[in-house]
Structure formats: C-alpha cells, structure tokens
Amino acid sequence: MVFNPTRGELPVRFGHNVPAVPPIGPSTLDAEVYRDPERYERERVRILNRSWQIICRSEQIPNPGDHHVWEGHGESVVITRRADGGLAGFHNVCQHRGARIVTASGTGARRFTCRWHNWSYDIEGRVTDVLDRQDFDQNVLAGLCSPALDLDEWGGWVWAVLAGPGVAGPLLDWIGSEIAADLGAYRMQDMKLVEKLEWEVDVNWKVCVDAFSEYYHAQALHNIPPKEARDARHSTMDVFGRNGMMVVPLMGVLDELQRTLDHTNLAICNYLLFPTVVVNANRMHTQIFRAVPLTVDKTRFEAWELQYHSDNEEYQETVDLFWALFKGVIQEDVDQWTEVSATRRSSAYRRNVLSDRECLLTHFHRVCNDMLAGGNGLGLEPGRGADAPAAEVIPNPPSVP
C-alpha cells in the first residue's frame, strides 16, 4: 500500500476561476542584489539568521544524544535530540577562544568537549567544565553558554532560527496556514530520505532559489516536448506571506486536472519556503532544493529525494526511475549556473528583466528587500482583483544602520 495524496477539502488552486498569476506584474531587478558583498553581509544578519530554515531530517537524529552539525553562511550550529524527545541546539562556537566545538554529526552524545583546551558543554550549550577554572574570572564563567537556537519540527524536518528564540515567531506562522495545509497534504513526515545530492556552485544563493521558482526555463533548458510546454502555460501561481506556490500540469494530466481540480494528486506542486528552500512535490515523491550561502558568490546547493515507505515493487521501480531521470534534469540546472557565473562581474550585466509569470521571483526579492530594510517581509502580497500593475523596478537597497 502506497500513500496517495489528494486535495480533499483544500482550497482549489487550479481551474477556470483561479487566476494564473497574482497581480504582481513584470519587473526588473538590479544585478547588484546578486554580487554586492556588503549586501550579502546584511543578508546574513537580517534575513538568513532571522528566518526559519530547514537543517536536517528528523530521522537523522532519532535517539537521545544523536546530533547534527550544520554549517552555512558563516555559521556553525549543533542540534541534539534530548532524552524527552525534544531538541536542543546552540552555536557550535567555544566561548573560550572561538574554536568549533563539534566537528561532525554523531550519535549518543551526553556532552561536547572542545579539543583545543578541553572546555566542555552540555547539549544545551552550557559550559560545564573548564580546565584550570580557578585561573579565570568566576563572574565571566558563571552561567556562560553558547548562544541558543530556536528549534521546531514540521513535515519530518528539523528547523532552526539561528538568531535565537522569539526572533522569527512560531514556525507554523512563518510557513503560513495556506502553505502548511497544502504542502502538508503530502505528509513528508511519513516519507523516507532516499538520497541527498550536493554541489558547490559559483553563484549567489538567490540564483539557486530563483531557478526553481519559475517554469519558464523548462522548454529551452530541459527541452520538454511542445505539448508539455503548452500544458505548462496553464500553470497557476500565488504568494502567501513570504512564501509562494506554483501548480504545474505535466505528463498529460491537464484534462483530468481541469475536470477534478485535484492539484495535489495530479500536478507538480512547487512551494517556495522563504528564504532558502523550494519544495517540488507530486504524488509519488518529493524533492527539496536548498541553497546554503557560503560567500556572496558561492553556494552549496542541495537536492533531497523523499519517497513513501512501501513494499510495493511496482511503486519502487517507477519512483526510482523517475528520480534517476529527474537527477539529470537537476544537473542541467546546475550546469547552467556556470554560464551565470561567467558573466556575474560583467559591466554589461546590469539587471534581470522578469515577466509576470516570474512573479514568485519578484515577490521573493521584495521580501528580501523588506527584511534588509528592517521589516518582517509580511504584507507584501498584491491586492486581489487589482488591475494589471505596471512594471516594477526592484532596486538594491542602500545599507540601513
């Protein structure tokens, strides 16, 4: 028996009465948003550290003491399964002289020790043992700990806010009720991690998020057949809070989708989870694409393949074949970033010109700019029923103190 996701009572996301795109309109985007090193440093502080981000699968740290070390955009953190089943996490930085405490993920830990000078920490990040403690200022050592993370689990994933508890609000509020319900229908928590692929690419992290937030490139880059390209023109897109959603009819499902309106069961459903994750879901398997910034022009791009638990041989053979084919499609996207990297410093590269069907990109960059300016990225959705807007220019905002 294989789980078969369906729309059920979820809102209709496809059909004659559903707009193809929200009234965002075409836009242009300053090229400096991808290559300005000062902006990147502000993104680290104001966006990346202050947002809920996927860290690992819950199944990767199932038992007490199991821990996962995650590193990205200049940060190193360690997250551990507590004895009560909850999570503990802190910045993986020794409070003595700044060394990394835990070098790799592992199992069964009760404490962590920095090998440089044998300072020890409990799984909450509290300093518990200091070699030659009497030589230090006791007032400084009292209550000393590495900064804590905000942690939660949803969809079978461990999520974290690196800036700490209370900064980003509850995880489900960040995801939003519309996306949580729609994506939740696939029950990622009941899926297994089959494979995780990684590439280190010489592009800004937002290039990777952009690439999986539109379908416009598929006909050219992936050489999809003309009928598939025509069917894909019926795709619908929308934005909710900071996030976005796209429903794409492929593989001959258009007629049935128009009749049943069951996008969950028939279409490819794409969810942009701000800031660094795009989920590509369909009824047989799901991919998670994650951009982990390393520098202003270097990113660790990850693709995770999730499949349902099943002893059905036909399902397994089919889904494995689809995944093998899809890995080739992903590689085409990754290879294209070499061409993006080749001109990133060119004087002729001044802006991106986005269509109204690249609206998820426009909204994503609006949210980025709002958070850089000190906002929370909310309230930027367009008014429904609005007239078609004029083209918008999205600047690279100046530094805000």
Side-chain angles (χ1 to χ4, degrees), residues 11 49 82 89 102 119 151 169 235-236 254-255 316 363 372 393 399:
N49 280 4
R82 296 197 311 242
V102 189
W119 280 40
L151 297 167
S235 299
T236 59
L254 179 59
D255 290 344
Q316 200 60 58
H363 184 71
L372 286 178
V393 177
S399 177

Side-chain angles (χ1 to χ4, degrees), residues 23 25-26 52 89 91-92 103 114 191 201 218 240 265 283 336 350:
W52 282 102
H91 282 263
N92 190 20
T103 59
C114 177
M191 304 178 86
V201 293
F240 307 95
N265 190 253
R283 67 181 177 187
Q336 180 59 32
R350 300 168 186 169

Side-chain angles (χ1 to χ4, degrees), residues 49 52 89 147-151 161-169:
N49 280 4
W52 282 102
L149 313 176
D150 202 355
L151 297 167
V161 180
L162 274 59
V167 172

Side-chain angles (χ1 to χ4, degrees), residues 7-8 18 33 38 55 66 99 154 159 179 195 201 242 296 314 318 352 383:
R7 181 172 68 86
V18 177
V33 304
E38 191 275 335
I55 298 296
D66 293 353
W154 182 83
W159 302 67
I179 297 291
E195 189 171 8
V201 293
R242 307 173 185 89
V296 65
E314 182 179 359
T318 303
N352 287 356

Side-chain angles (χ1 to χ4, degrees), residues 42-361:
R42 288 187 288 129
E43 288 175 346
R44 290 181 59 235
V45 175
R46 292 177 177 261
I47 298 176
L48 299 167
N49 280 4
R50 298 178 65 85
S51 299
W52 282 102
Q53 295 195 63
I54 283 174
I55 298 296
C56 65
R57 290 290 289 170
S58 296
E59 66 191 85
Q60 293 179 271
I61 49 172
N63 302 312
D66 293 353
H67 52 280
H68 184 85
V69 173
W70 182 90
E71 295 182 331
H73 51 87
E75 307 288 357
S76 178
V77 301
V78 59
I79 297 170
T80 306
R81 182 71 63 184
R82 296 197 311 242
D84 64 3
L87 297 170
F90 59 92
H91 282 263
N92 190 20
V93 180
C94 185
Q95 300 303 289
H96 177 215
R97 283 165 57 184
R100 181 171 59 180
I101 304 165
V102 189
T103 59
S105 303
T107 60
R110 295 184 178 181
R111 65 177 185 175
F112 303 108
T113 300
C114 177
R115 62 178 298 193
W116 199 3
H117 300 95
N118 277 353
W119 280 40
S120 293
Y121 297 76
D122 64 17
I123 65 170
E124 306 283 347
R126 293 182 290 252
V127 176
T128 57
D129 293 295
V130 175
L131 186 66
D132 297 330
R133 177 182 285 268
Q134 69 277 8
D135 296 339
F136 290 86
D137 185 330
Q138 301 305 301
N139 292 324
V140 173
L141 294 183
L144 187 61
C145 59
S146 189
L149 313 176
D150 202 355
L151 297 167
D152 206 344
E153 294 179 89
W154 182 83
W157 296 95
V158 172
W159 302 67
V161 180
L162 274 59
V167 172
L171 171 59
L172 284 179
D173 288 351
W174 185 273
I175 297 171
S177 59
E178 295 91 348
I179 297 291
D182 215 284
L183 178 55
Y186 292 96
R187 297 193 61 81
M188 288 189 293
Q189 67 271 25
D190 294 335
M191 304 178 86
K192 60 183 178 180
L193 174 61
V194 172
E195 189 171 8
K196 176 187 175 186
L197 306 176
E198 293 187 7
W199 297 262
E200 191 168 296
V201 293
D202 293 329
V203 294
N204 182 269
W205 65 279
K206 297 184 295 296
V207 170
C208 304
V209 177
D210 290 349
F212 288 90
S213 300
E214 49 86 4
Y215 201 73
Y216 180 52
H217 70 280
Q219 185 173 6
L221 183 60
H222 302 316
N223 196 30
I224 66 171
K227 183 184 185 306
E228 295 280 29
R230 290 193 299 270
D231 286 357
R233 287 287 298 176
H234 292 270
S235 299
T236 59
M237 305 160 204
D238 210 344
V239 295
F240 307 95
R242 307 173 185 89
N243 307 312
M245 178 180 175
M246 177 167 56
V247 176
V248 185
L250 284 180
M251 301 179 67
V253 305
L254 179 59
D255 290 344
E256 186 177 359
L257 180 58
Q258 290 175 328
R259 179 175 57 82
T260 67
L261 305 181
D262 192 348
H263 64 279
T264 308
N265 190 253
L266 295 171
I268 293 176
C269 296
N270 178 288
Y271 305 88
L272 195 170
L273 302 180
F274 187 88
T276 57
V277 167
V278 177
V279 181
N280 192 69
N282 66 64
R283 67 181 177 187
M284 295 195 73
H285 60 149
T286 292
Q287 297 79 43
I288 287 76
F289 305 120
R290 177 170 67 170
V292 180
L294 301 177
T295 67
V296 65
D297 54 11
K298 191 174 291 293
T299 301
R300 183 174 74 246
F301 176 68
E302 302 170 354
W304 306 60
E305 165 74 357
L306 302 183
Q307 298 176 6
Y308 292 108
H309 293 273
S310 175
D311 56 4
N312 185 306
E313 293 183 2
E314 182 179 359
Y315 165 79
Q316 200 60 58
E317 290 177 1
T318 303
V319 76
D320 286 345
L321 175 60
F322 283 160
W323 173 231
L325 294 172
F326 199 55
K327 282 192 283 188
V329 175
I330 299 169
Q331 188 63 57
E332 291 173 344
D333 289 291
V334 173
D335 290 344
Q336 180 59 32
W337 297 336
T338 301
E339 311 309 318
V340 175
S341 173
T343 60
R344 67 182 182 271
R345 303 191 192 283
S346 170
S347 61
Y349 176 42
R350 300 168 186 169
R351 64 180 184 175
N352 287 356
V353 180
L354 304 178
S355 75
D356 61 353
R357 296 180 69 83
E358 293 168 297
C359 55
L360 299 187
L361 280 67

